[in-house]
Amino acid sequence: MSATDSIKDELARAVRNVPDFPKPGIQFKDITPVLADGRLFAACVDELIGNFKPGDVDTVVGIDARGFIFAGAVAIKLNCGFVPIRKKGKLPYTTVEEGYDLEYGSNVIALHVDAVKPGSRVLLIDDLLATGGTAAAAAALLKKIGANILEATFFVELGFLNGREKLKGLPIRSLVVY
Amino acid sequence: MSATDSIKDELARAVRNVPDFPKPGIQFKDITPVLADGRLFAACVDELIGNFKPGDVDTVVGIDARGFIFAGAVAIKLNCGFVPIRKKGKLPYTTVEEGYDLEYGSNVIALHVDAVKPGSRVLLIDDLLATGGTAAAAAALLKKIGANILEATFFVELGFLNGREKLKGLPIRSLVVY
């Protein structure tokens, strides 16, 4: 087992399973025990960065809200800027918007039109890849403003939900797969 | 002018004023241009850290959602853990809760009961100190679980709203005051 496999294993064990949240039958993956442990949080941020080095990336984009925790830290370690993608109505300046379907109903996320320069090399980071709806909408927003998405990176992937299907054509990496 | 005054001045100039957001008459302080600039974002995180050194702090606590961007990065730079305070219903495990009044209506925020060990030395970080309602409720939550709050630190303070009045007894620091 490599060092990176060993730390991923430790990260996976530190994620807390909370049954029946937010509703009966769902096994919620609670990442807060990882975040609360300085050593594990740092290791998780380093694994999200992977082989990227300062100078490789212009902007790290985080998805509201847990994605912000990782993306801000990754941006600092890669000496680059941070850009938020947020639920519609939260960003104050002119935005592009993209909707996606949820199990019940739908959601709209937004990005400032001037968030990155066209051609910018962007990492897209979120805590969780589930059905892929949010990430696919986020990627669509970034393409609308001309970003060049190097990779979409996730801490946890719920493999049985086939989120990768919605993100075809995009390099994807996740640290822990259930 | 000292180096730290000079960078604070630069940060203040980079904040974008968006009139009439989220409603007519409000001048919204848009921090996204600071975040998007790698140099300014890094300077802002360093100024939030101030004189704290690795070893001084056990946990950095961020308030949902923009507080997460800074608090995660500060935790990584101080080699310590990160803990989120979120709107009620977002955290999956057992929580303590605290309500506070808004201009119209009220809000409830929550913190996992096991988020920090009693006596832990905590930094509380948010992007904005406005009326102080959220920060006061956050401080109350942290006290409920026995945290020792070293300081509440904010990027932007709207001085004319007198938020510090609600946070008496707590060391407070902000980088940019309007």
Side-chain angles (χ1 to χ4, degrees):
Chain A
M1 191 184 272
S2 73
T4 185
D5 283 346
S6 162
I7 190 68
K8 284 178 187 170
D9 209 56
E10 201 177 346
L11 291 170
R13 285 195 308 271
V15 172
R16 172 163 58 187
N17 197 67
V18 180
D20 300 321
F21 185 89
K23 51 189 178 185
I26 296 192
Q27 304 288 321
F28 190 88
K29 302 301 177 192
D30 178 15
I31 62 168
T32 62
V34 172
L35 303 172
D37 180 314
R39 186 180 62 84
L40 289 179
F41 181 32
C44 190
V45 167
D46 286 343
E47 290 293 330
L48 287 169
I49 290 170
N51 294 321
F52 291 105
K53 299 276 178 289
D56 292 345
V57 177
D58 297 309
T59 304
V60 180
V61 177
I63 301 178
D64 194 347
R66 285 186 302 261
F68 291 179
I69 303 165
F70 296 107
V74 167
I76 288 293
K77 292 205 77 169
L78 288 177
N79 296 334
C80 68
F82 165 89
V83 160
I85 287 182
R86 302 205 65 182
K87 285 158 195 79
K88 179 184 172 173
K90 292 282 186 181
L91 289 170
Y93 191 66
T94 313
T95 57
V96 288
E97 298 181 352
E98 183 79 21
Y100 58 98
D101 292 330
L102 300 170
E103 194 181 356
Y104 302 101
S106 61
N107 209 354
V108 179
I109 55 175
L111 173 68
H112 276 158
V113 288
D114 64 346
V116 303
K117 291 192 185 79
S120 288
R121 300 160 301 167
V122 161
L123 284 189
L124 177 62
I125 293 190
D126 205 357
D127 66 317
L128 179 72
L129 175 59
T131 65
T134 312
L141 285 176
L142 287 166
K143 284 171 190 165
K144 278 183 189 176
I145 65 168
N148 168 23
I149 307 170
L150 301 178
E151 188 177 84
T153 320
F154 306 89
F155 174 18
V156 172
E157 176 178 0
L158 303 180
F160 56 89
L161 292 175
N162 299 315
R164 285 176 186 247
E165 289 291 312
K166 284 211 184 74
L167 298 170
K168 277 186 178 157
L170 204 64
I172 294 167
R173 203 161 44 89
S174 63
L175 308 188
V176 171
V177 183
Y178 295 96
Chain B
M1 188 185 273
S2 73
T4 187
D5 284 346
S6 163
I7 190 69
K8 284 177 187 170
D9 209 55
E10 202 178 345
L11 291 170
R13 285 196 308 271
V15 172
R16 172 164 56 187
N17 196 69
V18 181
D20 301 321
F21 184 89
K23 50 190 177 184
I26 296 191
Q27 304 289 320
F28 190 88
K29 302 302 177 192
D30 178 16
I31 63 168
T32 62
V34 172
L35 303 172
D37 181 315
R39 187 181 61 84
L40 288 179
F41 180 33
C44 190
V45 167
D46 286 344
E47 290 292 329
L48 287 169
I49 291 170
N51 294 320
F52 291 104
K53 298 276 179 289
D56 291 346
V57 177
D58 296 309
T59 304
V60 179
V61 177
I63 301 178
D64 194 347
R66 285 186 302 261
F68 291 179
I69 303 165
F70 297 106
V74 168
I76 288 293
K77 292 204 76 167
L78 288 177
N79 295 335
C80 69
F82 165 89
V83 160
I85 287 181
R86 303 205 64 182
K87 286 159 193 78
K88 178 182 172 175
K90 291 282 187 182
L91 290 169
Y93 191 66
T94 313
T95 57
V96 288
E97 297 179 354
E98 184 79 21
Y100 59 98
D101 292 330
L102 300 170
E103 195 182 353
Y104 302 99
S106 62
N107 208 354
V108 179
I109 55 174
L111 173 67
H112 276 158
V113 289
D114 63 347
V116 305
K117 292 192 185 78
S120 288
R121 300 161 302 167
V122 161
L123 284 190
L124 177 62
I125 292 189
D126 205 359
D127 67 317
L128 180 71
L129 175 59
T131 65
T134 311
L141 285 176
L142 287 165
K143 284 172 190 164
K144 278 183 188 176
I145 66 168
N148 168 22
I149 305 171
L150 301 179
E151 188 177 85
T153 319
F154 306 90
F155 174 18
V156 171
E157 176 178 0
L158 303 180
F160 56 90
L161 291 175
N162 298 313
R164 285 176 187 247
E165 288 292 310
K166 285 211 183 75
L167 299 170
K168 277 185 176 157
L170 203 65
I172 295 167
R173 201 160 47 88
S174 62
L175 307 189
V176 172
V177 183
Y178 295 97

